[in-house]
Amino acid sequence: MGSMSIWHWIVVIAVVLLLFGRGKISDLMGDVAGGIKAFKKGMKEDDTAEKPAEPAKTIEHNAAPTTARSDVGSKAV
């Protein structure tokens, strides 16, 4: 009684096919597949929308070095 036999599943499938027909089940599966594809596309677009473009980082420097610290790094003899 607790387990489902093969005959039980055959009867259940036969009843479902009689109630809904083969065309309705095919249409239903097509709609489910379309919904899954739309969901995946929406998730993909959501991931790309979250990443804003970062501005390029620049380092400003002086063109002419100052003479006050010219001896840094050299050894005095």
Side-chain angles (χ1 to χ4, degrees):
M1 178 111 187
S3 66
M4 305 281 181
S5 68
I6 187 71
W7 295 109
H8 175 265
W9 289 112
I10 291 174
V11 170
V12 169
I13 291 171
V15 169
V16 168
L17 286 174
L18 287 174
L19 288 177
F20 295 107
R22 193 171 142 191
K24 288 183 181 180
I25 293 176
S26 296
D27 292 342
L28 179 66
M29 290 296 117
D31 292 342
V32 169
I36 291 171
K37 287 180 184 178
F39 176 76
K40 286 182 179 179
K41 183 180 177 184
M43 292 299 291
K44 188 177 186 181
E45 290 174 355
D46 190 34
D47 288 342
T48 58
E50 289 180 6
K51 298 177 184 175
E54 293 184 19
K57 296 179 181 178
T58 58
I59 299 174
E60 297 181 19
H61 62 279
N62 295 334
T66 58
T67 57
R69 307 244 337 160
S70 64
D71 61 348
V72 173
S74 64
K75 294 183 179 180
V77 181

